């Protein structure tokens, strides 16, 4: 009888309902900085079968992926992808923002030191990020056994995706000519980092971010991390967060069309193909989950648009501030720099000046709004504290509210007309930028590939904040602690 009961118990354990939850050995997050959604298809005929086209032909694409906040910039994008949250909650309000009364860079941390160089480039950490990320949740779920590594040329693109509990984040120090980190993570570089640095280092001062070479070096570092940290080598799922920064730097300088843009995406395609082969060889095809997305899109150069008879131009917003400060000062009997700072549409007013003038903040805000809305190419200027009751279209209002962190975002946010970004308005200007709610800045790719991914696509509305909960659901772990997105399924 005992033998029969033992057999029955063993059989029950083997039933599908009792099977242990399966997880991939490795999650690879690939963020392509300033990759518009349409780049998946604009260069499609030139992509390799084993590169980006492989992700399209074998992966699952969420074609209607939008960013649901403003401003649409790098630090926020990387934070929102991995936290599933918005600036209002994760606290990264821009690449630089006001904190404790002064402007700070998003990853600035004066309590840490550079590791791998003697410059200030390593005085960085994730401490300004107020939310947990995918990697943090993996650490919690595995009781610290999962490994989490971030790699990028930009510090913020390595640090913010890796999160608070990362085993390491590595970024490029131009002054040193190689990858570094900070004492937030470790006291000295691992030997595998020294080896790859010896192999790919450049002359100090060489800016690889604005070159195709920067894409190559990013993937060389990612591959070195894969082997150096033995990622995907045990029963605990690891995370390798990789961000490609050169696509952004080159597009800023040369625009969203032309030889420079073409060449950087061809190199991205080659490197993706090579890296997938490395993952297949090292971790095993089907054993890793890869997702590709972007932190934001980017506008076409306004001179290119005008050549196609499209209304467009450069705002050159800072040139308007002297006129606005003077007009507001005359109206309210004030003198001085009333608009103190501007960053990606966020306007910070001079609170000390306002307090000493005897005027209320509300009075000054309204006066600035009135003057700025007289500008031809500004549609709205919104008082953050009254955004919900301002007469602007609901989709834009929601994005402004989502992007507003009361302690960091400033006082006002301006919305220009479509086709106008805050760049030079000169007729020979070639570059571009991003920050707005419009589809060219907010429509980004989101592709899943590999472990338990079926081929297909959907046009259902999806948001950047849905990425983290989708990945966490696939891993059967809790979503990040400030997540506002929803897990999406492959239909």
């Amino acid at each position: 009888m005992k033998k029969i009961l033992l057999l029955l118990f063993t059989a029950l354990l083997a039933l599908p309902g009792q099977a242990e939850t399966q997880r991939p050995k490795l999650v690879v997050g690939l963020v392509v900085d300033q990759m518009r959604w349409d780049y998946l298809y604009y260069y499609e005929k030139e992509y390799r079968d084993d590169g980006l086209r492989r992700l399209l032909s074998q992966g699952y694409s969420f074609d209607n992926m939008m960013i649901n906040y403003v401003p649409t910039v790098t630090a926020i994008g990387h934070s929102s992808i991995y936290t599933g949250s918005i600036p209002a909650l994760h606290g990264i309000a821009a690449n630089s923002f006001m904190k404790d009364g002064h402007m700070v860079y998003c990853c600035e941390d004066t309590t840490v030191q550079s590791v791998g160089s003697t410059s200030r480039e390593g005085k960085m950490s994730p401490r300004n990020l107020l939310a947990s990320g995918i990697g943090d949740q993996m650490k919690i779920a595995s009781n610290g056994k999962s490994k989490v590594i971030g790699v990028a040329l930009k510090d913020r693109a390595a640090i913010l995706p890796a999160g608070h509990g990362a085993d390491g984040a590595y970024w490029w120090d131009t002054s040193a000519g190689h990858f570094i980190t900070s004492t937030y993570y470790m006291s000295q570089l691992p030997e595998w980092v020294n080896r790859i640095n010896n192999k790919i280092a450049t002359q100090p001062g060489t800016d690889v971010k604005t070159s195709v070479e920067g894409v190559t070096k990013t993937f060389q570092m990612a591959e070195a991390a894969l082997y150096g940290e033995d990622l995907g080598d045990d029963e605990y799922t690891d995370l390798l967060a990789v961000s490609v920064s050169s696509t952004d730097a080159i597009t800023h300088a040369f625009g969203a069309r032309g030889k420079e843009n073409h060449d950087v995406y061809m190199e991205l395609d080659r490197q993706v193909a090579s890296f997938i082969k490395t993952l297949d060889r090292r971790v095993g095809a089907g054993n890793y989950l890869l997702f590709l997305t972007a932190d934001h899109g980017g506008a076409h150069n306004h001179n290119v648009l005008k050549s196609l008879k499209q209304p467009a131009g450069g705002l050159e917003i800072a040139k308007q501030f002297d006129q606005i400060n003077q007009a507001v000062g005359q109206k309210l009997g004030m003198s001085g720099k009333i608009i103190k700072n501007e960053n990606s549409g966020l306007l910070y007013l001079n609170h000390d000046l306002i307090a000493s003038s005897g005027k209320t903040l509300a009075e000054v805000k309204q006066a600035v709004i009135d003057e700025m809305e007289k500008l031809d190419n500004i549609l709205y200027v919104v008082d953050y504290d009254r955004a919900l009751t301002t007469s602007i279209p609901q989709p834009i209002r929601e994005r402004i509210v989502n992007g507003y962190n009361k302690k960091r975002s400033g006082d006002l946010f301006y919305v220009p007309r479509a086709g106008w970004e805050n760049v030079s308005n000169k007729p020979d200007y070639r570059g571009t930028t991003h920050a707005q709610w419009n589809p060219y800045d907010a429509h980004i790719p989101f592709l899943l590939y590999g472990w338990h991914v079926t081929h297909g696509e959907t046009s259902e509305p999806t948001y950047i904040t849905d990425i983290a909960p989708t990945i966490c659901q696939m891993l059967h772990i809790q979503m990040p602690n400030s997540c506002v997105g929803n897990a999406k399924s492959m239909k």
Side-chain angles (χ1 to χ4, degrees), residues 114-359:
S114 298
V115 175
S117 78
T118 57
S119 76
R120 294 180 55 83
E121 296 299 313
K123 295 176 75 65
M124 306 288 172
S125 84
R127 288 193 172 112
N128 285 329
L129 180 65
L130 305 179
S132 69
I134 296 172
D136 295 315
Q137 298 305 129
M138 291 169 66
K139 284 283 188 181
I140 294 168
S142 67
N143 292 316
K145 301 296 179 56
S146 293
K147 285 189 175 181
V148 177
I149 301 291
V151 171
L153 297 184
K154 292 181 181 179
D155 51 69
R156 58 187 180 270
I159 293 168
L160 298 171
H164 298 276
D167 297 275
Y170 303 95
W171 55 94
W172 189 266
D173 184 343
T174 298
S175 68
H178 59 236
F179 282 97
I180 65 166
T181 188
S182 83
T183 52
Y184 177 88
Y185 303 99
M186 61 195 73
S187 59
Q188 62 183 27
L189 291 177
E191 187 53 38
W192 67 264
V193 177
N194 290 326
R195 287 197 301 270
I196 190 65
N197 274 340
N198 289 336
K199 179 179 178 181
I200 68 174
T202 64
Q203 184 72 23
T206 303
D207 186 5
V208 300
K209 294 184 181 74
T210 56
S211 71
V212 169
E213 181 186 14
V215 180
T216 311
K217 292 185 184 300
T218 301
F219 280 96
Q220 287 175 314
M221 184 61 173
E223 183 174 332
L226 180 69
Y227 284 97
E229 295 288 345
D230 295 321
L231 300 179
D233 209 33
D234 59 26
E235 61 185 292
Y236 301 100
T237 305
D238 299 324
L239 172 65
L240 178 57
V242 182
S243 182
V244 179
S245 305
S246 295
T247 44
D248 178 75
I250 287 173
T251 305
H252 272 296
F254 301 105
R257 289 290 183 265
K259 181 181 186 303
E260 295 86 358
N261 186 274
H262 169 271
D263 289 352
V264 75
Y265 276 92
M266 292 303 101
E267 181 62 16
L268 172 67
D269 185 42
R270 284 190 290 271
Q271 292 300 324
V272 166
S274 176
F275 194 58
I276 289 175
K277 288 177 183 176
T278 298
L279 290 169
D280 287 346
R281 183 170 58 250
R282 172 64 179 170
V283 186
N287 288 332
Y288 61 89
L289 172 64
L290 182 149
F291 68 88
L292 179 146
T293 188
D295 52 348
H296 53 76
H300 284 299
N301 172 271
H302 60 76
N303 289 313
V304 171
L305 290 175
K306 283 185 278 192
S307 73
L308 299 172
K309 298 184 178 181
Q310 301 299 309
L315 284 176
E316 298 183 329
I317 197 71
K319 291 183 178 181
Q320 317 294 327
F321 288 163
D322 285 345
Q323 173 188 333
I324 294 167
N325 285 331
Q326 185 177 5
V328 172
Q330 289 177 349
K331 182 177 182 179
L332 298 180
M334 301 170 61
S335 64
K337 191 177 180 181
I338 297 168
I339 300 176
K340 189 174 182 179
N341 284 297
E342 185 275 341
N343 192 300
S344 303
L346 285 64
L347 295 176
Y348 296 88
L349 303 185
N350 191 333
H351 286 223
D352 291 338
L353 176 63
I354 294 169
S356 65
S357 72
K359 302 297 180 182

Side-chain angles (χ1 to χ4, degrees), residues 338-391:
I338 297 168
I339 300 176
K340 189 174 182 179
N341 284 297
E342 185 275 341
N343 192 300
S344 303
L346 285 64
L347 295 176
Y348 296 88
L349 303 185
N350 191 333
H351 286 223
D352 291 338
L353 176 63
I354 294 169
S356 65
S357 72
K359 302 297 180 182
T360 67
L361 178 59
E363 285 180 285
V364 178
K365 281 182 178 180
Q366 190 57 54
V368 173
I369 290 171
D370 292 342
E371 290 302 319
M372 284 199 66
E373 287 187 343
K374 292 177 183 178
L375 300 176
D376 289 341
N377 298 311
I378 298 295
L379 293 180
Y380 306 100
V381 180
V382 177
D383 178 350
Y384 272 127
D385 287 330
R386 296 190 292 126
L388 284 173
T389 57
T390 303
S391 297

Side-chain angles (χ1 to χ4, degrees), residues 87-92 126-132 164 405 408 481-482:
L89 299 174
H90 63 56
I92 303 301
R127 288 193 172 112
N128 285 329
L129 180 65
L130 305 179
S132 69
H164 298 276
N405 184 282
R408 298 181 175 185
N481 62 15
S482 297

Side-chain angles (χ1 to χ4, degrees), residues 412-464:
L412 308 172
F413 185 83
Y414 68 83
V415 181
R417 60 181 289 198
W420 266 257
E421 294 269 6
N422 191 19
V423 295
S424 169
N425 201 34
K426 293 180 179 178
D428 60 348
Y429 176 71
R430 292 189 60 195
T432 190
T433 193
H434 51 84
Q436 306 306 326
W437 70 272
N438 309 75
Y440 44 77
D441 284 352
H443 190 189
I444 57 174
F446 177 37
L447 286 166
L448 290 171
Y449 172 84
W451 183 82
H452 287 196
V453 175
T454 57
H455 173 57
E457 61 184 4
T458 181
S459 59
E460 288 297 309
T462 314
Y463 299 102
I464 192 171

Side-chain angles (χ1 to χ4, degrees), residues 31 201 294 404 466 472 482 484:
V31 180
Y404 176 45
D466 296 332
C472 289
S482 297
V484 297

Side-chain angles (χ1 to χ4, degrees), residues 33-50:
D33 204 320
Q34 200 175 156
M35 185 178 188
R36 297 162 53 104
W37 169 81
D38 58 354
Y39 283 157
L40 289 175
Y41 304 99
Y42 183 73
Y43 295 120
E44 184 181 10
K45 291 181 180 179
E46 298 182 70
Y47 290 150
R48 303 161 55 109
D49 288 338
D50 56 353

